[in-house]
Amino acid sequence: MNLTIENSDAPEVRTLAERVFNQLQDAIVRGELAPGAKITEPGLSKVYGISRGPLREAMRRLETHRLIERVPHVGARVVKLSMQELIELFDVREALESMAARLAARHMTAEEIAGLRKVLAVHEGQADLKSGEAYYQREGDLDFHYRIVLGSHNRMLTTILCDDLYYLVRLYRTQFSASGTRPQRAFVEHHRIVDAIEAGDEELSELLMRRHISASRENVANRYAIVLQQEKSSTPSPQRIPS
C-alpha cells in the first residue's frame, strides 16, 4: 500500500520515517546496500511504498549519522570511506573508547556491569561467532561497546560515540571485523575488559580497550585492503581505440 502523508510534523510521518530509517540503516550496516551505491528517493519510495515526506526525513537522519552522503552532480549514495578515513575513524575510537573504559571502571554500577556480562552471554550463544564468521552485534543496549561508553557516565563521550559516530563505526565493524579467529579473540578481549572494569582498575581497563581497538583496526584495515584490491581487479581496463 502506498502511503501519502506529507506533513513531516505529523506523528504518522515520524513513525514511518523511524521505520524506514531503521530498515535502511540495517541494510547499509549489513552491506545489503553496498558502500558507494547510489540511492534515490523515487527508488526507495517504490521499495518501501511510502511518500516522499517520511522518506526525506529518514534520509536526513541517515545523512546526520554519516551513513549516506550527497555528492555534487551525483546525488545521495551510501558512504564509502577511503582507507585513510577508515584508519582515522579507528584512531578516534582508540583514543575515545579507551578513555570511556577508564571512566567506566570508575563509574559503572554493579547493575551496569551485570548488564555487560549478559551481553557477552548473548554473543557467546550466537552460532556465527562459533563458526568464525562475522556476527551481527545488535545496536543500542545489546552492543558491548555502546554499553561501556554509557557506563563512562560522560555526556560528551556519549554524544560523540553513541550519536555522531555510532552507526558509521558499527557499519565497518560489522562488515570487516571477522577474519579467521578474530571474533573469538575479540570475545576473550571483551571478557578481560569487563574483568578490569569490575575490579575498578582504570589503567588496565584503558590499556585493554586500547589494545582491543588497535587489533580491530589492523584486522579491519587488512580486510578492507583485500576488498579494495578485489574491486580493482574486477574493474575492466579501458579499451584502447585504434588510431
Side-chain angles (χ1 to χ4, degrees), residues 144 182 184-194 208 211-213 215-216:
F144 177 80
R182 179 59 197 160
Q184 293 90 339
R185 286 188 286 115
F187 185 73
V188 172
E189 292 165 8
H190 284 174
H191 270 290
R192 290 174 178 168
I193 290 169
V194 178
L208 291 176
R211 288 177 175 174
H212 172 65
I213 295 179
S216 296

Side-chain angles (χ1 to χ4, degrees), residues 14 66 92 137 178 187:
R14 291 197 298 270
R66 305 170 193 262
V92 171
Q137 292 193 10
F187 185 73

Side-chain angles (χ1 to χ4, degrees), residues 12-232:
E12 295 90 344
V13 173
R14 291 197 298 270
T15 300
L16 282 171
E18 180 74 18
R19 175 174 63 83
V20 176
F21 167 77
N22 287 331
Q23 288 177 309
L24 289 176
Q25 67 95 359
D26 194 60
I28 291 171
V29 168
R30 287 180 177 271
E32 295 167 5
L33 289 175
K38 184 178 180 180
I39 55 177
T40 65
E41 289 185 8
L44 294 177
S45 180
K46 182 177 180 181
V47 170
Y48 291 98
I50 62 173
S51 59
R52 299 290 182 87
L55 179 56
R56 286 183 186 132
E57 176 60 28
M59 291 185 68
R60 278 196 292 269
R61 289 190 59 190
L62 289 170
E63 189 172 9
T64 298
H65 289 300
R66 305 170 193 262
L67 290 179
I68 67 172
E69 56 186 357
R70 298 186 186 276
V71 182
H73 311 299
V74 175
R77 69 177 185 181
V78 178
V79 67
K80 184 175 183 179
L81 297 184
S82 66
M83 177 64 79
Q84 180 62 33
E85 290 170 328
L86 182 63
I87 295 300
E88 289 175 358
L89 176 64
F90 272 78
D91 285 345
V92 171
R93 281 194 66 201
E94 182 180 332
L96 296 186
E97 289 198 40
S98 61
M99 183 192 302
R102 169 184 279 275
L103 293 174
R106 185 185 308 171
H107 296 300
M108 278 190 96
T109 66
E111 183 179 1
E112 288 173 322
I113 293 172
L116 268 179
R117 298 286 188 194
K118 289 180 181 179
V119 168
L120 293 179
V122 170
H123 290 170
E124 189 172 24
Q126 292 182 233
D128 44 6
L129 173 64
K130 298 175 183 178
S131 66
E133 300 172 1
Y135 66 100
Y136 181 66
Q137 292 193 10
R138 295 163 179 83
E139 67 176 305
D141 287 342
L142 285 180
D143 186 299
F144 177 80
H145 289 264
Y146 188 98
R147 277 182 176 249
I148 287 181
V149 175
L150 292 181
S152 73
H153 294 196
N154 184 294
R155 287 183 293 177
M156 289 291 186
L157 279 176
T158 300
T159 297
I160 295 170
L161 291 170
C162 296
D163 293 331
D164 295 346
L165 297 179
Y166 178 71
Y167 290 96
L168 187 59
V169 168
R170 184 165 168 254
L171 186 162
Y172 279 89
R173 196 175 67 203
T174 300
Q175 293 187 20
F176 299 102
S177 64
S179 178
T181 60
R182 179 59 197 160
Q184 293 90 339
R185 286 188 286 115
F187 185 73
V188 172
E189 292 165 8
H190 284 174
H191 270 290
R192 290 174 178 168
I193 290 169
V194 178
D195 290 341
I197 289 174
E198 188 170 32
D201 193 326
E202 296 181 22
E203 291 187 7
L204 183 58
S205 298
E206 182 177 16
L207 177 63
L208 291 176
M209 181 63 82
R210 186 176 295 277
R211 288 177 175 174
H212 172 65
I213 295 179
S214 178
S216 296
R217 177 180 58 232
E218 181 179 354
N219 186 72
V220 168
N222 288 339
R223 289 202 47 153
Y224 192 42
I226 292 173
V227 170
L228 292 177
Q229 184 60 42
Q230 290 173 341
E231 291 178 352
K232 184 178 179 180

